Amino acid sequence: MTDLLADSLHQAAYIDKAVAQFNLTNARDSNIPLDPGYYRQTENEDLPENWEVYRSAIGTLLYLAVHSRPDIATATSILARKVNKPDRNDWNEVKRVLRYLKATRDYKLHLTYDPQKQLEMYVDADWASDPQGRKSCTGYCIQLFGGTISWASKKQTSVALSSTEAEFIALGEAVKELIWINGLLDEFGIKFDSPAMVYEDNQGCIKLLMKENVGQRSKHIDTRYFFVRDEYKKKLFEVKYCETGKMIADILTKPLANNLLKRFCEGLGLKGSGT
């Protein structure tokens, strides 16, 4: 948590330096980090600039996305997939992320203390979202006493055959992180009187978790299934349905419109100095 706070305190200067480095100081602000229609854009001409400029910008964004700005994690993850051959559209979107950061340079993660919440995790997946290969995107965030302490946005390594499977794959990745967080908290002497609460917005995924056996349609994910089921039976976590409109992890699976982006930023505890 110390690292999160330290990065938040110094990120405004870091953002200003990055914006100046890529000549965007006088550029128009953006209220979103990535165009929600990004995947529908047609391929454009290759970048005339050296690709190293694009890679440098992605490296700059990755530092913020990993340490203190989960609101740009999805945009950074998606754009980082094009480092080998970015086109003009990709570069424009990278600049959009920087323009968004310029507009929200005072955003910081607020680590609160609500003893009623203890350890909670939100898990989501965007099924077959990547048009190149149709792999899904995993997103999850972990909150301790109401404050966000861990998050991830990443493309899944295998193709999911249904939204339920995509959600279950995401749950498997999130549970591995939850195990690590639990171990870390145990070393700090922090223990809870109840299992972590996992919020999931896919009823099929919840029902699959509750089943005693893997069905014919789901047998290809049996290894992941038994891993998650084993941790569930050990009472590492409980699972509860969360309606999509309140699923904070949605911000970590796909680019969102401004109204949803603001709602989930607030859910993450990511606020500007005036809010």
Side-chain angles (χ1 to χ4, degrees):
M1 289 192 292
T2 303
D3 288 341
L4 286 173
L5 289 171
D7 282 319
S8 294
L9 291 171
H10 295 94
Q11 74 172 356
Y14 184 88
I15 290 170
D16 290 342
K17 182 178 179 181
V19 167
Q21 178 184 351
F22 298 102
N23 301 315
L24 295 171
T25 303
N26 298 317
R28 182 168 49 107
D29 291 346
S30 175
N31 60 6
I32 54 174
L34 188 66
D35 182 0
Y38 171 78
Y39 283 129
R40 296 191 296 272
Q41 294 176 1
T42 56
E43 288 192 11
N44 207 329
E45 62 187 65
D46 289 347
L47 279 179
E49 295 92 348
N50 190 319
W51 291 350
E52 289 301 322
V53 176
Y54 185 92
R55 292 170 180 163
S56 176
I58 291 296
T60 298
L61 297 177
L62 278 170
Y63 179 80
L64 289 169
V66 169
H67 287 85
S68 60
R69 292 297 298 267
D71 53 332
I72 68 165
T74 300
T76 305
S77 173
I78 291 172
L79 295 169
R81 301 168 197 169
K82 302 296 289 290
V83 291
N84 288 328
K85 195 176 181 182
D87 63 22
R88 176 60 64 181
N89 289 332
D90 301 322
W91 178 234
N92 287 339
E93 292 302 322
V94 166
K95 290 191 289 185
R96 186 195 299 274
V97 182
L98 289 164
R99 291 190 290 113
Y100 169 76
L101 287 171
K102 184 165 75 77
T104 59
R105 62 189 295 277
D106 62 336
Y107 272 29
K108 297 178 178 67
L109 274 175
H110 294 254
L111 300 181
T112 58
Y113 178 73
D114 183 349
Q116 298 300 317
K117 292 189 174 183
Q118 299 193 2
L119 192 62
E120 299 180 328
M121 180 168 67
Y122 293 82
V123 185
D124 198 18
D126 191 23
W127 180 43
S129 55
D130 186 359
Q132 303 296 325
R134 287 301 174 189
K135 291 180 180 177
S136 307
C137 181
T138 287
Y140 63 80
C141 68
I142 298 176
Q143 296 187 332
L144 178 64
F145 302 124
T148 301
I149 60 170
S150 179
W151 62 87
S153 176
K154 61 180 76 173
K155 185 169 70 172
Q156 295 181 359
T157 56
S158 59
V159 177
L161 300 180
S162 67
S163 59
T164 294
E165 182 182 341
E167 295 278 355
F168 209 89
I169 291 172
L171 181 59
E173 290 299 312
V175 167
K176 287 191 288 185
E177 179 71 3
L178 184 61
I179 291 171
W180 185 85
I181 291 291
N182 253 338
L184 182 64
L185 292 175
D186 188 59
E187 289 186 15
F188 290 154
I190 301 175
K191 298 181 183 298
F192 304 107
D193 53 12
S194 59
M197 181 59 70
V198 173
Y199 293 100
E200 171 63 57
D201 69 351
N202 185 283
Q203 295 278 20
C205 179
I206 296 174
K207 289 177 181 177
L208 181 60
L209 180 63
M210 301 299 180
K211 285 183 178 179
E212 287 299 325
N213 298 302
V214 182
Q216 184 70 18
R217 294 174 59 186
S218 305
K219 66 179 183 179
H220 54 287
I221 59 168
D222 62 348
T223 303
R224 185 175 283 105
Y225 169 81
F226 286 115
F227 162 69
V228 176
R229 276 280 296 177
D230 191 45
E231 297 303 324
Y232 178 71
K233 286 184 175 181
K234 290 178 184 176
K235 299 193 179 300
L236 172 72
F237 66 94
E238 295 178 355
V239 64
K240 186 175 182 180
Y241 176 73
C242 174
E243 59 185 85
T244 301
K246 296 181 180 179
M247 174 48 67
I248 298 172
D250 196 34
I251 196 175
L252 298 164
T253 63
K254 56 182 175 290
L256 300 174
N258 184 43
N259 58 335
L260 287 175
L261 182 74
K262 285 185 175 180
R263 180 194 305 174
F264 295 135
C265 277
E266 185 175 340
L268 288 167
L270 193 60
K271 305 174 184 178
S273 56
T275 58

